[in-house]
Each structure stands twice: as structure tokens, then as C-alpha cells.
């Protein structure tokens, strides 16, 4: 069996034709994933027992002639900020190095109910803060396409395992681009659904008003199938939406002729030339398919970085207050007083990026500064969202780059946080507006570095976004 190129349909066919059993597939996938992991450091934890027992349940269903579910037997990986009962969940942090959650995230429950086989947990930036995976306490992930380069972040591990073929699909999280940017850097499909589409129950909170769980896949169809499984209202997350979930994967075929696509002019300044050329050829492909391409403007884009890094740090400073050494985290030993214990635990436990964000976030929320920074940023967020609302009165979807450049070298930006933040310019706006957006591979730059193209759609219009991506994927093979 050729694990590294399997799709969900490939797994289904193989099981049906008895070329392999789900247990054989899981065993082989685990062996392969362990062997490949020395090259990428993409998995932090394997959960062999859980994988094999999920696979055995799939085999038993098949033997009884029952439907094992839309993900029956499919090897899946889960980003390590998403809770898995009984399986260590570190969030890429020293503080949670030995944390074993007592419950599963809703997305994990749904994935397993659908027959998915979780192989392990993937490396990421600490508490999902970063754009390169270099903020993980457990070492960076290497890009499978170029081992001296970053895979992107913060869901670098989840993108890398799918690119490398050590999982068929995976779950990541996106607060400001953490699914789309690594998908673009690693050459896979990555989807940030509408805010509220997927329950955040069991997703470790970074910035709650911006956090999303979403899928990675090697194909648009696999990503659509996985989103269909995890989406929908959940009583455990009051921000999850009651909107019905269409069968995304059944809606992929079809004409995209006449679909109106906007190119926001603010998104085409400052692109590396190869990235610009690849996106331009992507636009030509969509024209050839009959899409109606128009120029649009999203005038508040220039304020997006400042707005995002105020709101996300404010929310993070509050969300991270719970890691105090009292309950489930690492606790610094030899602290004579409670105050010293808090200080030492947090001082030793958090990495530099988390500390930077806690300080910035605390500052922008503090008395006297709240109005000038946090409140102002909330107003700007409203303007950014309104730009999109206006745009979607004219166009059906928006096309843009994901990142200004392809994967950069390990170490290249670690000492310049501002430079790192600026690289998020094209992805954070979608999260601020809460609209669905995705990265679909659109070619390779020099050195075989993958480049993704971003498609953005209106709230809850994932189906249209997927259809465009599927047509594009088919045309570009
Ligand atoms: N790179 C962005 C940040 O560092 C986005 C991270 C994310 O989406 N989780 O905040």
C-alpha cells in the first residue's frame, strides 16, 4: 500500500476491495510516520493504542456489513492544541509538557465517530502563537519540501504530516492564518471555516474571538469531507452556529463559469516576484474556466496587522492567565511563597513569544490605555469586516495570495518579531472578519518551494469556495 499518496476515497476503495484492513493500514501508517518523523519533527506524540482500537472498530463494522462512516479507517493527525482524552496535549509549551486532558474536543469526538483513526498529535508554535513553528518548546518542524526551511505556523506539524504523507488528513487551528499559511508553505490544502462553523470546545484558547479549527488535506475533496464531519452546532460552544451543514464533498463538481471573483488591489503590493507570478497564472486559469474577474478594494487592509496584534494579544493575556502552576501545569519547585510560585512557574514555563504577547495584551487592556488601543482596534476590526461585506455585494468570492513569499529559512526571522508579524498581512483579515478562507496549491517557486493561493468567501459560503478550489485543482492537476 502506498500510504503517502492515499486519499480518503483511496482508503475506502482499499478497505472495500480488502487490499488491507483498517488495522493493517493504521499499523503501517504508524510505522511510516515514526520513521519519517526524524526528518520533520512534525509529530510530538503518537497514540498507537487509540489508533489501533479505532481501526479495529472500523474493521468490525465492515465485517458486519455496516458503514464505517465518512472517515472509516482514515489515518488522521491532530494539532497539539486540540484536546485528546488520555493522550498528552502540550500546546507546544513546556508548561503543558505532561498534561493529559480528561476530555476530548468536540471535533475529535466527531472525527472518531466518523471512523477516523487518530495516529498522533502534531507539533505547533507555543499556544498557536507564531508563523513558522519555531516557537514550539519541542523544537521546530522542518518543511518536507525543503528541510532547511520552516513549514509555516502555527499549525506547521499538521501541514507537514499531510505533505509528507504520514497522515491522510489533519486538524489544525487558525487565529490569524495558522492553517492557510502552513498549507501554502507545504503545498497542501488548508481551510479556515466561517467563525462558529466548527465547535471550539476542547480547542485551547489563544484569542477566542478569532480561533477556528479547520482541516488540512492533499485534495480539496478530502478537506471538504473532513470539514463536513467536524462542522455544525455544538451545545458545548455557545458561539458555534446552528446553520445547517451542507455535504460539501458532494457539491464540488460543477461549473464555475460566471462566478464573480474580486482581486483586492491592496493584496497585490509587496509580493515576492515568483509568488506574484504564480498567483497571476492562477488568476489566468480561473479566467480560462470562465470566472468573471474584477478589481476590488478592501481599503482598511493597511490597519489589519496593528488591529490583529492588539486584539489577539489582549485576548491571549486573559486566556493564558489560567496557567498558574496551581492546577494542571508544570509548577516551578522551590518557591517560598504563592506569589513566587506564580512568577517562577510562568517565568520558566512560557517561551519568549508568549511572554511578549502577555505583556502587550495586558498593556492594551489596562486602565488608561484600553480606549486608545483595545477599543480602537475593535472599531478597526469593524471596518475590516465591513470592507468584506461591501465586497461581497459585488463579487461571489475573493482571490488573494496567502503569504507574501514562499517558506523562509529556519532562523531567518526568529530575531525580528515585527518582520514575522508582517508576514501575516494577507491571512489575518479573514479571521478578523470571521469569513471562510482557504489555501489551495498553485505551483512551485525556485527550489521546489510550494506556493498557495487564497480563496475567501462570504459567511457560511464554504461550498462555493470549495467548488472554485476543486475546479482550479482539476484544471491545474
Ligand atoms: N501568525 C499569527 C500569530 O502569530 C497567527 C497564528 C494563528 O493563526 N494561530 O498570531
Amino acid at each position: 500500500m502506498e500510504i503517502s499518496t492515499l486519499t480518503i476515497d483511496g482508503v475506502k476503495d482499499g478497505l472495500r476491495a480488502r487490499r488491507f484492513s483498517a488495522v493493517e493500514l493504521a499499523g503501517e501508517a504508524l510505522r511510516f510516520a515514526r520513521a519519517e518523523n526524524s526528518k520533520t519533527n512534525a509529530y510530538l506524540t503518537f497514540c498507537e493504542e487509540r489508533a489501533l482500537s479505532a481501526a479495529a472498530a472500523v474493521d468490525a463494522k465492515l465485517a458486519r456489513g455496516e458503514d464505517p462512516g465518512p472517515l472509516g479507517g482514515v489515518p488522521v493527525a491532530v494539532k497539539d492544541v486540540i484536546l485528546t482524552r488520555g493522550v498528552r496535549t502540550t500546546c507546544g509549551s513546556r508548561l503543558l509538557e505532561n498534561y493529559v486532558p480528561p476530555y476530548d474536543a468536540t471535533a475529535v469526538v466527531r472525527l472518531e465517530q466518523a471512523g477516523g483513526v487518530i495516529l498522533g498529535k502534531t507539533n505547533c508554535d507555543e499556544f498557536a502563537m507564531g508563523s513558522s513553528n519555531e516557537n514550539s518548546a519541542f523544537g521546530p518542524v522542518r518543511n518536507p519540501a525543503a528541510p532547511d526551511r520552516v513549514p509555516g505556523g502555527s499549525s506547521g506539524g499538521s501541514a507537514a504530516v499531510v505533505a509528507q504523507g504520514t497522515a491522510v488528513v489533519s486538524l489544525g487551528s487558525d487565529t490569524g492564518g495558522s492553517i492557510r499559511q502552513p498549507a501554502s508553505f507545504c503545498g497542501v490544502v488548508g481551510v479556515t471555516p466561517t467563525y462558529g462553523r466548527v465547535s471550539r470546545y476542547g480547542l485551547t484558547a489563544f484569542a477566542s474571538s478569532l480561533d477556528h479549527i479547520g482541516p488540512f488535506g492533499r485534495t480539496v475533496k478530502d478537506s471538504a469531507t473532513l470539514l463536513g464531519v467536524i462542522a455544525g452546532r455544538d451545545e458545548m460552544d455557545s458561539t458555534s452556529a446552528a446553520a445547517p451543514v451542507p455535504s460539501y464533498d458532494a457539491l464540488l463538481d460543477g461549473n464555475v463559469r460566471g462566478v464573480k471573483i474580486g482581486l483586492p488591489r491592496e493584496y497585490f503590493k509587496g509580493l515576492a516576484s515568483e509568488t506574484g507570478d504564480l498567483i497571476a497564472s492562477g488568476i489566468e486559469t480561473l479566467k480560462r474556466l470562465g470566472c468573471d474577474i474584477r478589481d476590488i478594494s478592501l481599503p482598511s487592509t493597511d490597519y489589519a496587522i496593528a488591529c490583529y496584534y492588539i486584539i489577539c494579544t489582549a485576548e491571549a493575556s486573559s486566556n493564558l492567565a489560567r496557567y498558574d502552576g496551581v492546577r494542571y501545569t508544570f509548577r516551578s519547585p522551590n518557591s517560598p511563597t504563592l506569589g513566587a510560585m506564580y512568577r517562577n512557574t510562568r517565568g520558566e514555563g512560557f517561551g519568549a513569544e508568549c511572554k511578549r504577547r502577555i505583556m502587550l495584551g495586558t498593556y492594551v487592556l489596562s486602565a488608561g490605555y484600553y480606549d486608545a488601543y483595545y477599543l480602537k482596534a475593535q472599531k478597526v476590526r469593524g471596518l475590516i469586516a465591513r470592507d468584506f461585506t461591501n465586497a461581497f455585494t459585488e463579487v461571489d468570492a475573493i482571490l488573494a495570495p496567502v503569504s507574501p513569499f514562499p517558506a523562509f529559512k529556519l532562523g531567518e526571522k526568529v530575531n525580528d518579531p515585527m518582520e514575522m508579524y508582517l508576514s501575516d498581512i494577507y491571512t489575518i483579515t479573514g479571521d478578523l472578519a470571521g469569513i471562510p478562507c482557504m489555501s489551495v496549491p498553485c505551483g512551485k517557486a525556485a527550489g521546489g518551494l510550494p506556493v498557495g493561493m487564497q480563496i475567501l468567501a462570504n459567511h457560511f459560503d464554504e461550498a462555493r469556495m470549495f467548488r472554485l478550489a476543486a475546479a482550479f485543482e482539476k484544471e491545474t492537476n
Side-chain angles (χ1 to χ4, degrees):
M1 83 187 75
E2 190 41 83
I3 289 188
S4 62
T5 54
L6 266 183
T7 58
I8 294 176
D9 283 340
V11 172
K12 280 192 187 143
D13 291 346
L15 290 173
R16 208 177 301 125
R18 305 196 183 222
R19 279 198 297 282
F20 46 77
S21 69
V23 168
E24 282 164 356
L25 177 60
E28 186 56 25
L30 280 162
R31 193 201 54 74
F32 181 55
R34 278 186 201 278
E36 291 292 297
N37 210 39
S38 57
K39 297 180 195 156
T40 57
N41 194 32
Y43 282 98
L44 291 177
T45 306
F46 289 101
C47 45
E48 185 137 15
E49 233 173 82
R50 183 165 174 159
L52 293 175
S53 85
V58 168
D59 283 335
K61 278 196 176 163
L62 286 167
R64 290 196 300 269
E66 292 168 21
D67 178 3
L71 294 178
V74 174
V76 184
V78 175
K79 183 178 182 182
D80 217 17
V81 289
I82 300 174
L83 302 192
T84 40
R85 180 179 174 172
V87 176
R88 180 176 86 127
T89 300
T90 67
C91 299
S93 180
R94 271 285 156 244
L95 275 171
L96 296 175
E97 189 167 6
N98 298 310
Y99 174 59
V100 178
Y103 67 98
D104 280 322
T106 298
V108 165
V109 170
R110 292 186 180 178
L111 194 157
E112 289 191 323
Q113 275 167 356
V117 173
I118 298 175
L119 302 179
K121 306 294 297 291
T122 56
N123 202 345
C124 56
D125 285 302
E126 186 172 12
F127 292 106
M129 296 174 188
S131 313
S132 68
N133 219 121
E134 292 165 297
N135 296 334
S136 166
F138 307 103
V141 174
R142 292 174 181 277
N143 190 320
D148 58 335
R149 297 195 177 244
V150 303
S154 64
S155 313
S158 289
V161 297
V162 171
Q164 189 179 33
T166 54
V168 174
V169 288
S170 66
L171 290 183
S173 71
D174 194 307
T175 303
S178 280
I179 291 177
R180 286 157 289 154
Q181 188 251 25
S184 169
F185 282 12
C186 292
V188 297
V189 177
V191 181
T192 312
T194 307
Y195 183 80
R197 196 35 128 178
V198 175
S199 168
R200 289 181 294 109
Y201 183 67
L203 168 64
T204 308
F206 159 13
S208 311
S209 77
L210 294 158
D211 293 341
H212 307 69
I213 292 180
F216 287 94
R218 284 190 285 275
T219 63
V220 174
K221 187 175 182 194
D222 281 0
S223 316
T225 303
L226 181 50
L227 180 60
V229 164
I230 60 174
R233 171 75 187 161
D234 173 21
E235 289 305 317
M236 302 303 281
D237 172 6
S238 60
T239 65
S240 72
V245 181
S247 347
Y248 297 119
D249 50 357
L251 295 169
L252 295 178
D253 291 331
N255 217 324
V256 296
R257 191 162 290 284
V259 174
K260 293 193 276 278
I261 298 181
L263 303 179
R265 71 178 70 97
E266 294 80 3
Y267 284 57
F268 290 85
K269 314 184 275 198
L271 286 182
S273 67
E274 279 186 300
T275 302
D277 293 348
L278 288 166
I279 304 287
S281 77
I283 294 166
E284 285 310 311
T285 303
L286 287 167
K287 272 191 194 154
R288 224 173 29 247
L289 289 168
C291 295
D292 171 2
I293 312 271
R294 311 170 172 200
D295 284 325
I296 59 165
S297 173
L298 299 169
S300 310
T301 305
D302 275 353
Y303 309 112
I305 297 267
C307 170
Y308 170 82
Y309 277 97
I310 287 174
I311 293 176
C312 86
T313 55
E315 293 186 23
S317 71
S318 164
N319 278 325
L320 297 183
R322 73 192 65 170
Y323 306 109
D324 55 7
V326 175
R327 284 163 300 176
Y328 36 76
T329 55
F330 146 85
R331 176 184 298 177
S332 174
N334 310 323
S335 302
T337 62
L338 182 64
M341 194 279 285
Y342 286 152
R343 273 195 304 279
N344 295 344
T345 294
R346 290 168 67 83
E348 292 160 30
F350 282 123
E353 184 60 29
C354 288
K355 288 180 186 165
R356 184 179 295 123
R357 294 194 188 203
I358 292 168
M359 287 190 280
L360 181 57
T362 306
Y363 178 78
V364 299
L365 287 177
S366 54
Y369 296 101
Y370 184 95
D371 290 356
Y373 295 108
Y374 183 70
L375 198 63
K376 181 82 112 338
Q378 289 291 14
K379 291 178 184 167
V380 174
R381 182 177 188 175
L383 294 177
I384 290 169
R386 202 171 65 193
D387 281 359
F388 282 105
T389 308
N390 290 341
F392 287 122
T393 62
E394 278 176 54
V395 297
D396 304 310
I398 293 172
L399 206 112
V402 175
S403 160
F405 32 68
F408 43 91
K409 290 234 163 77
L410 282 157
E412 192 180 318
K413 297 188 197 291
V414 272
N415 296 319
D416 191 347
M418 194 61 179
E419 182 72 11
M420 195 73 97
Y421 295 174
L422 288 173
S423 71
D424 298 331
I425 178 66
Y426 304 130
T427 49
I428 53 185
T429 47
D431 298 274
L432 287 166
I435 56 173
C437 25
M438 68 187 287
S439 174
V440 58
C442 90
K444 286 184 176 156
L449 299 179
V451 171
M453 178 175 89
Q454 187 174 195
I455 304 174
L456 305 94
N458 211 345
H459 291 112
F460 298 104
D461 204 6
E462 284 90 356
R464 192 195 309 260
M465 178 177 85
F466 281 135
R467 194 170 324 122
L468 271 173
F472 180 78
E473 178 184 58
K474 194 166 159 203
E475 186 69 12
T476 53
N477 197 16

